[in-house]
């Protein structure tokens, strides 16, 4: 399906057009349209690949999807929502929805003991199209609900007034069209070496190369539903990797680590004789099966039989080895007869590469046999359903090659065995798979939070949640026999629903291993030991006990805290304790996606070590549609985000909070006005005594949102405690002196500068990174700042490398306020 119908909003009486388009061999000509799952009559609506509905009535609201079919198969589109408004009904209410931001710690709490303030938001829902908005097939930007007017408020905080801009009114305007990106790195699964200058294909189209360190950036084309990317090693050391990469439809970049499987060393075969190549010899276990090549099976592309020496490389990906899950290709899905994309459970994948021994020219094969050892199939019901599949590298879907049928067989002197045998012709370089369609399916609800408080309004969007389905050994949940499939979903404003195999008879028939990453950083799962706390995990008892929730470090505290495992126990519809999540039956995807935050769900959180951010113009970095064009916006350009950090060295007996205060410095519209505050706790340097370092974000200098004049932000760096500024980086000082005006630094307990416009680098103690994703820009800049280099990355603080300013802090005599404290209580005087 290359064009999917789009969501529309119309007023009753108007007309609407939905379009879809499928490609294939032969070209699909038959299209069928469905409303809420029921097929619409072709004679009545006279549709082809486009469906037009005139004189809309309220009962025509709902979901619409199309199905295209040929003799080769069928494919369904994604559903599109049609909203039909009554005459005079507004699709964008002028009153903003509530949206809370946390105020700085020095601000008083309200009557309920909360330091959160409602700044309002406009939900980016589509607005009703005009009467002229007919075709519905072009790349129309459309109109969406957004901010029409903001108001400045002032909140009394510790003797001064804190400015904050709140949404006063919402209205319809052009929809924001943020760029949607996938970034990441491609490395070898075994050694971690980068794929240098590998080719990148989207469908059949080459779109670029990986960089020297294996890095890549892909701009996701509009209307993409499944992003199928193929990475090709031009030196042919690795098997082509076909990946279905998750992305965030709301804009911004998602970060992905892609692993490539190294090709097995070729063995020499005699083309005149029958040959058998084992499939899967993981750590001394019995092979999963074998590939049997009869005499004369090798063919040149012309069809001529090749009888010489063949160099044969057969690379098998063995799901009995847990470490291989990350290197598997595709998302293990196929299109069934109805055109639905449904999951497979793998028993192993293999890639073949046959070449002439002398010339190295590629060879094909005539009929060859795939034999699978039935003793390796632990679920008896799978023996009847085992099939052989090949991967279509353009669609990322597996296509059926044949059925595996039981047959007796012996292996020399060994005991008799039952084999599943199937036939195959290898005509092109494809990946093959031993799989069963698995219909015992569920969804698992997962949410990610910005901290351990798990506040509903502090959920993180743009987090990649990954779930690997495991087949545990009975009685040994921590030691699985094999993995079966994997899925990745990106969290939206209401979390994520991940498909997983489940079982209603045996809760531990399938288990799931779940992780979460944000910009390459792993989030933490909720602890399961020494005592399981249902309120923290997010799932109430007794269902939690049935799920057997265990964080990775449950038995061994040295293991990571960034993953958990559960039994995917299918909910019992007759048990009220199991009807409120976090596992939902497969047909209840909508219920899972729209579940309130009070319903059971599983959780990850970001370990924020004493970090606080305040923007005068509120902006959720995980939702780029929440950006507002304003002179006081921290990020002036929603298409690219420049993150700036300064490295502060602190010599003192403990770790200290360091604040950056950022106000307009040189722009006439913002001079003296606050942009925002950043508080960061310094991190101890493990190699230096009584020394810590802080990487403190400040607002970069540069153009403001109107792109007409540069503002040099006036940045004050203030450590909390009895601290004296004892050194300033000499290169930074020279730079600031050469680029006037120079900020006054007449208080020794702080450092003030008009921030540099140039991206200076580690020699100055300033770290600047530009990216289409604000989170990623900050993560990279912090990694460089910790390392003290302009291209490295570290999570361990090197406090005396690449610093801009040094403070010496002592413990204060009792009763005496620090400058930081005085700034909070009496700012004018301080």
């Amino acid at each position: 399906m290359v064009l999917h119908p789009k969501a529309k909003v119309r007023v009753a009486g108007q007309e609407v057009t939905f379009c879809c388009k499928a490609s294939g061999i032969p070209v699909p000509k038959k299209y069928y349209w469905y409303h809420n799952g029921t097929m619409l009559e072709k004679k009545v609506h006279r549709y082809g690949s486009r469906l037009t509905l005139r004189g809309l009535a309220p009962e025509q609201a709902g979901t619409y999807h199309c199905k295209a079919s040929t003799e080769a198969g069928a494919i369904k589109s994604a559903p599109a929502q049609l909203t039909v408004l009554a005459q005079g009904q507004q699709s964008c209410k002028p009153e903003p929805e509530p949206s809370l931001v946390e105020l700085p710690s020095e601000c008083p709490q309200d009557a309920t003991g909360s330091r959160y303030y409602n700044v309002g938001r406009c939900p980016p829902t589509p607005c009703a199209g005009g009467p002229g908005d007919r075709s519905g097939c072009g790349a129309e930007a459309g109109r969406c609900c957004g901010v029409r007017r903001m108001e400045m408020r002032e909140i009394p905080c510790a003797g001064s007034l804190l400015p904050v801009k709140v949404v006063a009114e919402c209205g319809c305007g052009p929809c924001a069209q943020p760029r949607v990106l996938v970034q990441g790195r491609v490395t070898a699964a075994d050694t971690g070496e980068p794929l240098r200058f590998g080719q990148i294909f989207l469908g059949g189209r080459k779109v670029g190369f990986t960089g020297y360190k294996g890095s890549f950036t892909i701009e996701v084309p509009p209307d993409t539903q499944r992003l199928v990317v193929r990475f090709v090693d031009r030196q042919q050391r690795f098997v082509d990797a076909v990946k279905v990469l998750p992305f965030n439809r709301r804009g911004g970049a998602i970060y992905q680590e892609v692993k490539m499987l190294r090709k097995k060393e070729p063995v020499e075969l005699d083309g005149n004789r029958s040959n058998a190549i084992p499939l899967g010899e993981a750590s001394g276990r019995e092979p999963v099966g074998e590939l049997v090549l009869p005499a004369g099976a090798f063919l040149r592309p012309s069809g001529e039989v090749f009888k010489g020496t063949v160099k044969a490389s057969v690379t098998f990906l063995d799901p009995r080895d847990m470490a291989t899950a990350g290197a598997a290709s595709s998302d293990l899905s196929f299109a069934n007869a109805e055109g639905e994309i449904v999951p497979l459970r793998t028993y192993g994948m293999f890639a073949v590469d046959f070449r002439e021994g002398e010339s190295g020219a590629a060879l094909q094969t005539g009929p060859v046999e795939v034999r699978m050892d039935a003793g390796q199939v632990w679920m008896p019901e799978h023996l009847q359903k085992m099939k052989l599949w090949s991967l279509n590298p353009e669609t990322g879907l597996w296509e059926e090659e044949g059925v595996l049928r039981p047959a007796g067989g012996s292996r020399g002197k060994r005991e008799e065995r039952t084999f599943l045998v199937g036939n195959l012709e290898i005509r092109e370089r494809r990946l093959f798979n031993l799989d069963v369609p698995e219909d015992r399916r569920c969804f698992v609800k997962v949410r990610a939070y910005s901290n351990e408080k798990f506040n509903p309004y502090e959920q993180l969007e743009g987090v990649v949640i990954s779930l690997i389905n495991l087949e545990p050994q009975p009685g040994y949940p921590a030691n699985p026999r094999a993995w079966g499939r994997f899925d990745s979903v990106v969290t939206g404003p209401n979390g994520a629903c991940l498909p997983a195999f489940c079982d209603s008879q045996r809760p531990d028939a399938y288990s799931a291993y779940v992780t979460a990453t944000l910009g390459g950083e792993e989030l933490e799962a909720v602890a399961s030991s020494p005592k399981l706390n249902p309120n923290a995990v997010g799932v109430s008892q007794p269902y939690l006990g049935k799920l057997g929730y265990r964080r990775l470090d449950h038995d061994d505290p040295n293991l990571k805290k960034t993953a958990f495992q559960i039994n995917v126990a299918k909910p019992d519809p007759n048990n009220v304790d199991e009807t409120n999540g976090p596992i939902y039956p497969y047909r209840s995807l909508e219920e899972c996606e729209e579940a309130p935050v009070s319903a059971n769900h599983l959780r990850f959180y970001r370990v924020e070590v004493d970090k606080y951010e305040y923007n005068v113009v509120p902006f959720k970095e995980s939702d780029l549609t929440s950006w507002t064009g304003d002179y006081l916006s921290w990020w002036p350009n929603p298409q690219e985000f420049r993150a700036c950090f300064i490295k502060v060295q602190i010599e003192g007996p403990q770790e200290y909070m360091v604040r950056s205060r950022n106000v307009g410095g040189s722009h006439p519209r913002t001079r003296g006005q606050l942009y925002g505050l950043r508080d960061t706790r310094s991190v101890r340097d493990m190699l230096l005594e009584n020394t810590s370092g802080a990487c403190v974000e400040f607002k970069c200098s540069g153009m403001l949102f109107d792109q007409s004049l540069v503002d040099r932000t006036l940045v004050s760096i203030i450590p909390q405690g009895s601290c004296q500024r004892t050194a300033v980086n000499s290169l930074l000082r020279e730079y600031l002196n050469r680029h006037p005006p120079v900020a006054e630094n007449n208080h020794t307990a702080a450092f003030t500068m008009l921030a540099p416009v140039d991206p200076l680098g580690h020699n100055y103690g300033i770290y600047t990174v530009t990216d289409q994703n604000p989170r990623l820009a900050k993560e990279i800049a912090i990694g460089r700042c910790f390392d003290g280099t302009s291209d490295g990355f570290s999570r361990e603080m090197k406090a005396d490398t690449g610093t801009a300013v040094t403070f010496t802090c002592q413990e204060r005599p009792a009763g005496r306020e620090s400058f930081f404290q005085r700034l909070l209580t009496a700012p004018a005087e301080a």
Side-chain angles (χ1 to χ4, degrees):
M1 191 61 69
V2 291
L3 177 68
H4 296 261
K6 296 187 184 74
K8 301 281 167 94
V9 179
R10 292 289 185 271
V11 175
Q14 287 184 332
E15 70 174 61
V16 69
T17 299
F18 289 111
C19 305
C20 77
K21 188 184 175 195
S23 68
I25 303 169
V27 175
K29 296 266 187 355
K30 289 183 188 165
Y31 287 89
Y32 305 92
W33 284 91
Y34 296 77
H35 174 222
N36 291 340
T38 304
M39 193 165 90
L40 297 170
E41 280 190 53
K42 231 176 183 154
K43 287 178 185 167
V44 176
H45 295 281
R46 297 190 177 157
Y47 57 69
S49 65
R50 67 168 60 189
L51 167 72
T52 299
L53 304 170
R54 295 182 176 83
L56 282 170
E59 60 270 18
Q60 288 175 284
T63 60
Y64 287 83
H65 77 265
C66 81
K67 182 172 91 174
S69 73
T70 69
E71 55 269 37
I75 192 80
K76 272 185 185 176
S77 75
Q81 186 71 29
L82 173 65
T83 305
V84 180
L85 303 171
Q87 294 286 344
Q89 186 186 349
Q90 290 177 315
S91 55
C92 176
K93 298 192 177 95
E95 307 81 37
E97 286 184 355
S99 176
L100 302 174
V101 297
E102 188 181 0
L103 299 176
S105 55
E106 64 269 20
C107 295
Q109 298 177 343
D110 63 16
T112 63
S114 168
R115 263 208 320 275
Y116 286 86
Y117 192 82
N118 182 11
V119 294
R121 72 182 276 274
C122 303
T125 49
C127 289
D133 179 19
R134 279 193 182 160
S135 82
C137 298
E140 59 194 82
R143 288 164 59 75
C144 291
C145 195
V147 175
R148 178 160 281 174
R149 187 167 57 84
M150 295 189 89
E151 283 176 1
M152 181 68 96
R153 304 251 176 92
E154 289 184 325
I155 302 161
C157 282
S160 67
L161 293 172
L162 180 76
V164 60
K165 285 217 162 182
V166 299
V167 178
E169 188 187 349
C170 301
C172 288
C175 294
Q177 290 190 298
R179 293 171 72 195
V180 179
L181 301 166
V182 175
Q183 299 176 321
R185 215 160 58 101
V186 189
T187 55
D190 52 356
T191 62
E193 72 173 285
L195 174 70
R196 295 195 167 121
F197 313 121
Q199 296 172 313
I200 304 173
F201 292 85
L202 281 190
R205 189 168 54 92
K206 187 158 83 180
V207 294
F209 297 91
T210 59
Y212 181 74
K213 291 188 174 180
S215 56
F216 66 89
T217 299
I218 297 166
E219 184 147 1
V220 181
D223 302 330
T224 301
Q225 294 292 327
R226 285 175 92 239
L227 179 66
V228 180
V229 186
R230 181 161 52 111
F231 297 95
V232 178
D233 174 24
R234 293 190 294 175
Q235 296 173 22
Q236 290 300 308
R237 295 162 306 158
F238 301 107
V239 177
D240 293 0
V242 177
K243 296 286 184 181
V244 180
L245 297 178
F247 59 94
N248 188 357
R249 294 174 204 287
R250 295 158 72 90
I254 292 295
Y255 185 84
Q256 280 292 109
E257 287 279 354
V258 175
K259 301 290 179 197
M260 286 187 91
L261 205 57
R262 192 178 297 279
K263 278 188 179 173
K264 199 147 188 204
E265 283 298 314
V267 293
E268 291 196 348
L269 305 177
D270 182 346
N272 284 314
R273 297 174 57 181
S274 177
N275 294 282
I277 299 173
L279 298 175
E281 301 155 288
S283 57
R285 296 182 192 168
E286 286 288 337
V288 170
E290 59 190 6
L291 188 61
V292 180
L293 303 141
F298 295 105
L299 309 172
R300 287 185 163 133
S302 61
E304 174 199 348
V305 175
F306 177 76
K307 295 186 174 173
T309 302
V310 176
K311 285 199 165 167
S313 165
V314 176
T315 309
F316 187 76
L317 186 132
D318 195 333
R320 296 174 301 177
D321 176 1
M322 301 311 300
T324 60
S329 268
S330 151
D331 60 353
L332 288 164
S333 300
F334 74 104
N336 67 9
E338 286 301 304
E340 281 186 74
I341 293 179
V342 286
L344 292 167
R345 185 267 191 243
T346 187
Y347 278 90
M349 305 178 189
F350 60 97
V352 297
D353 190 9
F354 299 133
R355 295 184 180 271
E356 294 183 24
E358 294 288 315
S359 67
L363 292 169
Q364 302 175 350
T365 77
V368 299
E369 207 172 64
V370 178
R371 295 161 69 86
M372 183 179 175
D373 182 353
Q376 298 293 335
V377 181
W378 300 100
M379 293 191 175
E381 63 272 24
H382 286 175
L383 288 169
Q384 314 308 316
K385 301 193 289 186
M386 191 71 65
K387 293 182 179 179
L388 194 57
W389 309 77
S390 71
L391 179 63
N392 180 329
E394 294 191 12
T395 63
L397 294 172
W398 294 89
E399 297 170 354
E400 191 177 324
E401 290 279 344
V403 179
L404 292 172
R405 307 228 180 267
S410 88
R411 288 203 173 164
K413 296 180 181 173
R414 288 196 234 166
E415 75 279 17
E416 289 288 318
R417 298 201 170 192
T418 303
F419 283 95
L420 299 174
V421 178
N423 293 309
L424 174 70
E425 288 189 25
I426 300 168
R427 293 285 178 198
E428 55 183 319
R429 209 171 70 210
R430 278 197 174 194
L431 192 61
F432 299 98
N433 201 347
L434 303 161
D435 272 31
V436 287
E438 177 59 278
D439 47 16
R440 292 174 295 180
R441 295 174 280 158
C442 289
F443 284 99
V444 181
K445 182 72 177 214
V446 182
R447 298 178 189 270
Y449 293 86
S450 60
N451 56 49
E452 224 175 335
K453 294 173 189 162
F454 304 121
N455 283 325
Y457 37 83
E458 290 187 305
Q459 290 188 65
L460 294 174
E461 295 179 46
V463 175
V464 180
I465 311 282
S466 297
L467 183 150
I468 301 174
N469 254 117
L470 307 176
E471 189 182 299
Q473 297 191 38
Y476 298 96
N479 188 13
R481 269 194 293 243
W483 61 268
R485 69 173 280 114
F486 54 87
D487 282 278
S488 293
V489 177
V490 177
T491 58
N494 199 31
C497 293
L498 287 106
F501 296 144
C502 56
D503 196 281
S504 54
Q505 306 302 313
R506 276 185 33 229
D508 61 349
Y510 277 118
S511 64
Y513 176 90
V514 188
T515 57
T517 58
L518 178 63
E521 169 202 358
E522 292 182 313
L523 302 194
E524 204 157 293
V526 179
S528 58
S529 63
K531 193 166 182 286
L532 194 62
N533 179 354
N535 291 332
V537 176
V539 181
S540 55
Q541 292 286 25
Y543 199 17
L544 180 59
K546 191 173 175 181
L547 299 180
Y549 177 92
R550 295 161 72 94
R551 194 166 72 177
L552 201 55
D553 65 347
H554 185 85
D555 294 319
D556 181 355
N558 295 321
L559 291 176
K560 284 181 170 180
K561 302 173 179 177
T562 51
F564 65 78
Q565 204 168 313
I566 56 165
N567 297 326
V568 193
K570 190 172 185 179
D572 175 356
N574 301 317
N575 183 342
V576 70
D577 293 321
E578 299 182 13
T579 55
N580 193 29
I583 316 287
Y584 293 84
Y586 198 72
R587 294 287 167 210
S588 304
L589 173 60
E590 200 172 322
E591 189 189 335
C592 176
E593 288 183 330
E594 293 174 5
V597 75
S598 56
N600 285 333
H601 60 273
L602 296 152
R603 295 169 170 172
F604 286 93
Y605 64 93
R606 202 167 182 197
V607 183
E608 289 280 285
V609 188
D610 295 320
K611 217 178 198 176
Y612 171 73
E613 299 180 357
Y614 175 76
N615 298 324
V616 169
V617 179
F619 172 59
K620 252 177 111 173
E621 286 172 3
S622 57
D623 176 11
L624 299 191
T625 60
S626 70
W627 182 84
T628 311
D630 192 285
Y631 282 102
L632 294 175
S633 295
W634 184 275
W635 306 97
N637 179 355
Q639 295 293 334
E640 74 174 18
F641 296 88
R642 197 161 156 230
C644 293
F645 284 78
I646 183 169
K647 188 165 184 178
V648 180
Q649 181 179 342
I650 295 186
E651 291 168 353
Q654 56 189 42
E655 295 174 335
Y656 298 84
M657 287 300 283
V658 184
R659 168 169 288 187
S660 80
R661 195 167 188 279
N662 304 267
V663 300
S666 59
H667 195 290
R669 291 289 294 264
T670 62
R671 193 179 290 131
Q673 292 186 65
L674 185 69
Y675 291 116
L677 307 169
R678 298 290 186 267
D679 291 345
T680 308
R681 186 175 290 283
S682 66
V683 177
R684 202 174 288 285
D685 187 318
M686 291 306 175
L687 302 176
L688 299 172
E689 203 178 340
N690 285 344
T691 304
S692 61
C695 292
V696 189
E697 189 188 4
F698 63 88
K699 185 187 182 301
C700 307
S701 291
M703 293 284 190
L704 298 185
F705 93 103
D706 62 358
Q707 302 296 310
S708 66
L709 268 182
V710 166
D711 182 43
R712 288 198 51 199
T713 315
L714 183 62
V715 179
S716 302
I717 302 295
I718 312 140
Q720 178 179 8
S722 283
C723 302
Q724 295 280 338
R725 186 180 71 248
T726 47
V728 175
N729 181 307
S730 57
L731 287 174
L732 178 61
R733 191 166 44 219
E734 280 172 32
Y735 175 92
L736 294 173
N737 287 335
R738 282 202 319 273
H739 295 82
V742 177
E744 286 182 13
N745 259 309
N746 56 7
H747 200 294
T748 58
F751 170 71
T752 306
M753 66 174 180
L754 280 156
V757 177
D758 303 304
L760 296 180
H762 69 287
N763 290 327
Y764 299 80
I766 303 288
Y767 301 84
T768 307
V769 172
T770 302
D771 195 273
Q772 286 87 356
N773 180 331
R775 281 258 164 73
L776 208 53
K778 285 157 77 159
E779 285 299 321
I780 296 167
I782 289 169
R784 290 177 184 175
C785 177
F786 267 60
D787 198 46
T789 61
S790 288
D791 57 359
F793 188 89
S794 175
R795 283 267 178 254
E796 289 185 8
M797 176 58 74
K798 299 170 186 172
D800 61 344
T801 312
T803 54
V805 58
T806 304
F807 290 91
T808 303
C809 301
Q810 284 134 13
E811 291 309 296
R812 232 176 14 261
R816 184 164 153 237
E817 279 191 327
S818 69
F819 174 65
F820 188 88
Q821 228 68 49
R822 296 205 303 280
L823 188 79
L824 302 184
T825 52
E829 186 189 314

